[in-house]
Amino acid sequence: MRKNIIYMMIAAAMVCCLSGCGKWLDVKPYDEMAEGDLLSTENGFIRLLNGIYIEMNRDMLYGGALSVEMIEIMGGAYSIGTSNAVWGNFSDLAKYKYGTDYWRARFSETWNKTYSLVLNCNLLLDNIDGKKSLFSGDNYSIIKGEALALRAMLHFDMLRIFGPVYSRNPESLSIPYYTAYTTVPENLLPASDVASKIVNDLREARILLSSDPVITEGVRMQGPADGSSNFLYYRNIRLNYYAVTALLARASLYFGDKSTAFSCANEVIGALNQGIFSFVDRSLVTGSPEDPDRIFSSEVIFALSHARRNELFKNYYDPSRVPNYVFRMDSDMFSRLIFGGSQSGGSQDDYRCRVNWIATGTNRYFYKYSDMVDVGNIRNTMIPMIRMGEMYLIAAESCSETLADGLSYVNLLRSNRGVSALPELTQELLQYEYIRELYGEGQLFFMYKRMFSPVLTSVNPSKNPQPSDELFVVPLPDTETQN
């Protein structure tokens, strides 16, 4: 089993190297590295870690299901029709029919792939402490910190999909949490125990990443001039120190720890104030720029690098797919609430509207993942996983017991989106901001589940799916319940 897992990770590195990602993740094909080198050299540990990042781009994970497809349908992002000839199994998922054969298989595929990557995180973690002498500079602590953070993030997303509504049932059994390299199934744990393990891994990762060059030198989006290893460069396509801090903010809010969520979100916001990150340059998103920065890359704290990212646009959003299905927002929601309507704070002058939604006839289509003119630019490969705008919204939500005190954070974000300030802040207005900021990035379902609120799919509240355990808790895969 161990040998097969190692082969899988090297093969992933080889495929991505051949398709262009090697430029950013510094990978090497299998025939250039013997199997034993993976756990006996510094470069081997780096390549094993890189293989985990690369495998996260698979369709059943963040290269589809957990970014733009399955999880966004569950979050009500798209207007899904009823014609089986056009929409197929998506119609069932839009009705939260998780028990069909098709969706049981799909969720099982996501679960199994996630835990195979957890297994690889633990393979690395179980071996690294005994081999500290292999590592130069701060590489030991940075590699270990990233692996711990990846383990936490993967478990966190499984908990958010398959676990209970945490705010209501934190002691309910949820998922297993694997902290060692083993093929023996672990027991299901109460959600609160999983939460503690996630937070502990993230806290330890933050300590280990305190030497991350992102803190003093920024994201370093140009590789070394001498052609040496890229490992300490391109820091926002890795779980860098600020990405881990942002992930801890996200997790802490989900688990009801507003104090930690607020302090972590503010620490990341401080990195923007220090120039480590920056709000998107207006010239790159308005006035019909030749090559718009649709993902606001300077604000992305952590992204995956996917050499074929344009397939997300071609497979799901491209208007040329008509009469086949095309994912897009309900037209009334778009024009009357999200990007229109004074009561919602929406405006079509919003940068998030102007750069990402393009009119074709009477319809608007979502272009966030369409190719740039400069297809070789790293920005053209990025799938955002955590962005700065979310930190402002988390800070607004967690700064006190009442949302009113968080208004300044939302309005500061809005001022950098080209829209006027809100006079007040309610949960519904905050949700509209989350939708505008994170649409197409796989976070909306988790927001509704955390808040235990209706899923916003229509301007008619009576048509919005109402909160329930049946809606928000996906049954565990058969493979897990049988184990």
Side-chain angles (χ1 to χ4, degrees), residues 47-80:
R47 285 169 171 78
L48 179 55
L49 180 64
N50 288 346
I52 297 169
Y53 284 110
I54 292 165
E55 286 291 291
M56 289 166 67
N57 283 313
R58 294 284 188 175
D59 291 346
M60 71 283 287
L61 294 180
Y62 305 98
L66 298 187
S67 58
V68 303
E69 188 227 38
M70 183 168 72
I71 202 70
E72 283 293 81
I73 295 172
M74 294 160 62
Y78 311 129
S79 179
I80 304 295

Short mmCIF file of all heavy atoms in Angstrom, two decimals, residues 47-80:
data_model
loop_
_atom_site.label_atom_id
_atom_site.label_comp_id
_atom_site.label_asym_id
_atom_site.label_seq_id
_atom_site.Cartn_x
_atom_site.Cartn_y
_atom_site.Cartn_z
N ARG A 47 8.90 17.12 -3.05
CA ARG A 47 8.12 16.59 -4.16
C ARG A 47 6.90 15.81 -3.66
O ARG A 47 5.85 15.83 -4.31
CB ARG A 47 9.01 15.76 -5.07
CG ARG A 47 9.89 16.68 -5.93
CD ARG A 47 10.98 15.95 -6.67
NE ARG A 47 11.61 16.84 -7.62
CZ ARG A 47 12.51 17.77 -7.28
NH1 ARG A 47 12.89 17.90 -6.01
NH2 ARG A 47 13.04 18.57 -8.20
N LEU A 48 7.03 15.14 -2.55
CA LEU A 48 5.88 14.47 -1.97
C LEU A 48 4.82 15.51 -1.56
O LEU A 48 3.62 15.34 -1.82
CB LEU A 48 6.29 13.63 -0.76
CG LEU A 48 5.18 12.87 -0.02
CD1 LEU A 48 4.41 11.97 -0.97
CD2 LEU A 48 5.76 12.06 1.13
N LEU A 49 5.27 16.60 -0.94
CA LEU A 49 4.35 17.68 -0.58
C LEU A 49 3.72 18.30 -1.82
O LEU A 49 2.50 18.53 -1.87
CB LEU A 49 5.11 18.74 0.22
CG LEU A 49 4.33 19.96 0.70
CD1 LEU A 49 3.23 19.56 1.68
CD2 LEU A 49 5.28 20.98 1.35
N ASN A 50 4.52 18.57 -2.85
CA ASN A 50 3.99 19.15 -4.08
C ASN A 50 2.96 18.24 -4.73
O ASN A 50 1.97 18.70 -5.31
CB ASN A 50 5.12 19.42 -5.07
CG ASN A 50 5.99 20.60 -4.66
OD1 ASN A 50 5.62 21.38 -3.79
ND2 ASN A 50 7.15 20.72 -5.29
N GLY A 51 3.19 16.94 -4.64
CA GLY A 51 2.24 15.99 -5.21
C GLY A 51 0.86 16.11 -4.58
O GLY A 51 -0.15 15.92 -5.26
N ILE A 52 0.81 16.42 -3.29
CA ILE A 52 -0.48 16.59 -2.61
C ILE A 52 -1.20 17.80 -3.17
O ILE A 52 -2.39 17.75 -3.50
CB ILE A 52 -0.27 16.71 -1.09
CG1 ILE A 52 0.35 15.42 -0.53
CG2 ILE A 52 -1.61 17.00 -0.39
CD1 ILE A 52 0.84 15.53 0.90
N TYR A 53 -0.49 18.92 -3.29
CA TYR A 53 -1.11 20.11 -3.89
C TYR A 53 -1.64 19.81 -5.29
O TYR A 53 -2.74 20.22 -5.66
CB TYR A 53 -0.08 21.25 -3.99
CG TYR A 53 0.23 21.97 -2.69
CD1 TYR A 53 1.47 21.82 -2.08
CD2 TYR A 53 -0.69 22.82 -2.11
CE1 TYR A 53 1.78 22.50 -0.91
CE2 TYR A 53 -0.38 23.52 -0.94
CZ TYR A 53 0.85 23.35 -0.34
OH TYR A 53 1.16 24.03 0.81
N ILE A 54 -0.83 19.11 -6.08
CA ILE A 54 -1.21 18.83 -7.46
C ILE A 54 -2.46 17.96 -7.52
O ILE A 54 -3.38 18.21 -8.30
CB ILE A 54 -0.04 18.15 -8.20
CG1 ILE A 54 1.12 19.14 -8.37
CG2 ILE A 54 -0.50 17.62 -9.56
CD1 ILE A 54 2.43 18.47 -8.76
N GLU A 55 -2.52 16.94 -6.66
CA GLU A 55 -3.67 16.04 -6.67
C GLU A 55 -4.96 16.73 -6.22
O GLU A 55 -6.05 16.28 -6.54
CB GLU A 55 -3.39 14.83 -5.77
CG GLU A 55 -2.40 13.84 -6.37
CD GLU A 55 -3.01 13.11 -7.55
OE1 GLU A 55 -3.94 12.30 -7.37
OE2 GLU A 55 -2.57 13.36 -8.68
N MET A 56 -4.83 17.83 -5.48
CA MET A 56 -6.02 18.58 -5.07
C MET A 56 -6.74 19.21 -6.25
O MET A 56 -7.89 19.63 -6.13
CB MET A 56 -5.63 19.65 -4.04
CG MET A 56 -5.26 19.06 -2.68
SD MET A 56 -4.43 20.23 -1.59
CE MET A 56 -5.74 21.39 -1.25
N ASN A 57 -6.08 19.26 -7.41
CA ASN A 57 -6.70 19.79 -8.63
C ASN A 57 -7.59 18.77 -9.34
O ASN A 57 -8.19 19.10 -10.37
CB ASN A 57 -5.62 20.24 -9.62
CG ASN A 57 -5.02 21.57 -9.24
OD1 ASN A 57 -5.71 22.52 -8.92
ND2 ASN A 57 -3.69 21.65 -9.29
N ARG A 58 -7.71 17.58 -8.81
CA ARG A 58 -8.54 16.57 -9.45
C ARG A 58 -10.00 17.01 -9.52
O ARG A 58 -10.47 17.77 -8.67
CB ARG A 58 -8.44 15.24 -8.69
CG ARG A 58 -7.07 14.59 -8.73
CD ARG A 58 -6.81 13.94 -10.07
NE ARG A 58 -5.58 13.16 -10.05
CZ ARG A 58 -5.17 12.42 -11.05
NH1 ARG A 58 -5.89 12.36 -12.16
NH2 ARG A 58 -4.04 11.75 -10.97
N ASP A 59 -10.73 16.48 -10.51
CA ASP A 59 -12.12 16.88 -10.71
C ASP A 59 -12.98 16.62 -9.47
O ASP A 59 -13.90 17.39 -9.18
CB ASP A 59 -12.73 16.12 -11.89
CG ASP A 59 -12.16 16.55 -13.23
OD1 ASP A 59 -11.49 17.61 -13.27
OD2 ASP A 59 -12.35 15.83 -14.22
N MET A 60 -12.70 15.54 -8.75
CA MET A 60 -13.53 15.21 -7.61
C MET A 60 -13.21 16.06 -6.38
O MET A 60 -13.90 15.99 -5.37
CB MET A 60 -13.43 13.72 -7.26
CG MET A 60 -12.10 13.28 -6.65
SD MET A 60 -10.75 13.13 -7.87
CE MET A 60 -11.22 11.62 -8.73
N LEU A 61 -12.14 16.88 -6.48
CA LEU A 61 -11.80 17.79 -5.39
C LEU A 61 -11.93 19.22 -5.89
O LEU A 61 -12.96 19.62 -6.41
CB LEU A 61 -10.41 17.45 -4.84
CG LEU A 61 -10.28 16.08 -4.16
CD1 LEU A 61 -8.85 15.86 -3.67
CD2 LEU A 61 -11.26 15.94 -3.01
N TYR A 62 -10.88 20.02 -5.74
CA TYR A 62 -11.00 21.45 -5.98
C TYR A 62 -10.85 21.84 -7.45
O TYR A 62 -11.02 23.01 -7.79
CB TYR A 62 -9.98 22.19 -5.10
CG TYR A 62 -10.15 21.83 -3.65
CD1 TYR A 62 -9.34 20.86 -3.06
CD2 TYR A 62 -11.13 22.43 -2.88
CE1 TYR A 62 -9.51 20.50 -1.73
CE2 TYR A 62 -11.30 22.08 -1.54
CZ TYR A 62 -10.49 21.11 -0.97
OH TYR A 62 -10.67 20.75 0.35
N GLY A 63 -10.57 20.88 -8.30
CA GLY A 63 -10.57 21.13 -9.73
C GLY A 63 -11.95 20.98 -10.35
O GLY A 63 -12.08 20.91 -11.57
N GLY A 64 -12.99 20.94 -9.51
CA GLY A 64 -14.35 20.81 -10.00
C GLY A 64 -15.36 20.73 -8.88
O GLY A 64 -16.00 21.71 -8.51
N ALA A 65 -15.50 19.55 -8.28
CA ALA A 65 -16.59 19.28 -7.34
C ALA A 65 -16.63 20.25 -6.17
O ALA A 65 -17.71 20.71 -5.77
CB ALA A 65 -16.48 17.84 -6.83
N LEU A 66 -15.47 20.56 -5.57
CA LEU A 66 -15.44 21.37 -4.36
C LEU A 66 -15.11 22.84 -4.61
O LEU A 66 -14.84 23.58 -3.68
CB LEU A 66 -14.43 20.78 -3.37
CG LEU A 66 -14.74 19.37 -2.89
CD1 LEU A 66 -13.77 18.94 -1.79
CD2 LEU A 66 -16.18 19.23 -2.40
N SER A 67 -15.15 23.24 -5.87
CA SER A 67 -14.92 24.65 -6.18
C SER A 67 -16.08 25.24 -6.97
O SER A 67 -16.76 26.15 -6.50
CB SER A 67 -13.60 24.84 -6.93
OG SER A 67 -13.59 24.09 -8.14
N VAL A 68 -16.36 24.71 -8.15
CA VAL A 68 -17.34 25.34 -9.03
C VAL A 68 -18.58 24.48 -9.29
O VAL A 68 -19.60 25.01 -9.74
CB VAL A 68 -16.71 25.71 -10.39
CG1 VAL A 68 -15.51 26.61 -10.21
CG2 VAL A 68 -16.33 24.46 -11.19
N GLU A 69 -18.51 23.19 -9.02
CA GLU A 69 -19.60 22.32 -9.43
C GLU A 69 -20.46 21.87 -8.26
O GLU A 69 -21.35 22.60 -7.81
CB GLU A 69 -19.02 21.12 -10.20
CG GLU A 69 -20.08 20.24 -10.85
CD GLU A 69 -19.85 18.76 -10.58
OE1 GLU A 69 -19.42 18.42 -9.46
OE2 GLU A 69 -20.14 17.97 -11.48
N MET A 70 -20.23 20.70 -7.73
CA MET A 70 -21.11 20.06 -6.75
C MET A 70 -21.44 20.97 -5.56
O MET A 70 -22.60 21.19 -5.23
CB MET A 70 -20.45 18.76 -6.28
CG MET A 70 -21.26 17.92 -5.33
SD MET A 70 -20.49 16.28 -5.14
CE MET A 70 -19.02 16.69 -4.16
N ILE A 71 -20.41 21.52 -4.94
CA ILE A 71 -20.63 22.29 -3.71
C ILE A 71 -21.31 23.62 -4.00
O ILE A 71 -22.05 24.14 -3.16
CB ILE A 71 -19.29 22.48 -2.96
CG1 ILE A 71 -19.53 22.78 -1.48
CG2 ILE A 71 -18.43 23.55 -3.61
CD1 ILE A 71 -20.05 21.61 -0.70
N GLU A 72 -21.11 24.19 -5.18
CA GLU A 72 -21.78 25.45 -5.52
C GLU A 72 -23.25 25.22 -5.85
O GLU A 72 -24.09 26.08 -5.56
CB GLU A 72 -21.09 26.14 -6.69
CG GLU A 72 -19.80 26.85 -6.34
CD GLU A 72 -20.01 28.06 -5.42
OE1 GLU A 72 -20.16 27.84 -4.19
OE2 GLU A 72 -20.03 29.20 -5.90
N ILE A 73 -23.59 24.09 -6.45
CA ILE A 73 -25.00 23.76 -6.65
C ILE A 73 -25.69 23.65 -5.31
O ILE A 73 -26.79 24.17 -5.10
CB ILE A 73 -25.14 22.45 -7.46
CG1 ILE A 73 -24.59 22.63 -8.87
CG2 ILE A 73 -26.60 22.00 -7.52
CD1 ILE A 73 -24.50 21.35 -9.67
N MET A 74 -25.04 22.99 -4.34
CA MET A 74 -25.59 22.86 -3.00
C MET A 74 -25.75 24.22 -2.32
O MET A 74 -26.63 24.42 -1.48
CB MET A 74 -24.69 21.95 -2.17
CG MET A 74 -24.67 20.50 -2.65
SD MET A 74 -23.22 19.56 -2.08
CE MET A 74 -23.45 19.62 -0.30
N GLY A 75 -24.90 25.18 -2.70
CA GLY A 75 -24.98 26.52 -2.15
C GLY A 75 -25.93 27.42 -2.88
O GLY A 75 -25.95 28.65 -2.61
N GLY A 76 -26.72 26.89 -3.80
CA GLY A 76 -27.73 27.67 -4.49
C GLY A 76 -27.17 28.69 -5.47
O GLY A 76 -27.88 29.62 -5.85
N ALA A 77 -25.92 28.52 -5.89
CA ALA A 77 -25.30 29.54 -6.73
C ALA A 77 -25.91 29.60 -8.12
O ALA A 77 -25.91 30.66 -8.75
CB ALA A 77 -23.80 29.26 -6.85
N TYR A 78 -26.46 28.46 -8.59
CA TYR A 78 -26.88 28.39 -9.98
C TYR A 78 -28.38 28.14 -10.09
O TYR A 78 -28.99 27.48 -9.23
CB TYR A 78 -26.14 27.28 -10.71
CG TYR A 78 -24.65 27.27 -10.52
CD1 TYR A 78 -23.99 26.13 -10.12
CD2 TYR A 78 -23.90 28.43 -10.72
CE1 TYR A 78 -22.61 26.11 -9.95
CE2 TYR A 78 -22.53 28.42 -10.54
CZ TYR A 78 -21.88 27.27 -10.14
OH TYR A 78 -20.52 27.26 -9.97
N SER A 79 -28.95 28.62 -11.19
CA SER A 79 -30.33 28.32 -11.52
C SER A 79 -30.36 27.02 -12.31
O SER A 79 -30.02 27.00 -13.49
CB SER A 79 -30.92 29.47 -12.35
OG SER A 79 -32.25 29.20 -12.71
N ILE A 80 -30.71 25.93 -11.63
CA ILE A 80 -30.70 24.60 -12.22
C ILE A 80 -32.10 24.25 -12.73
O ILE A 80 -33.07 24.29 -11.98
CB ILE A 80 -30.24 23.53 -11.21
CG1 ILE A 80 -28.86 23.89 -10.64
CG2 ILE A 80 -30.22 22.14 -11.85
CD1 ILE A 80 -27.73 23.88 -11.64
#
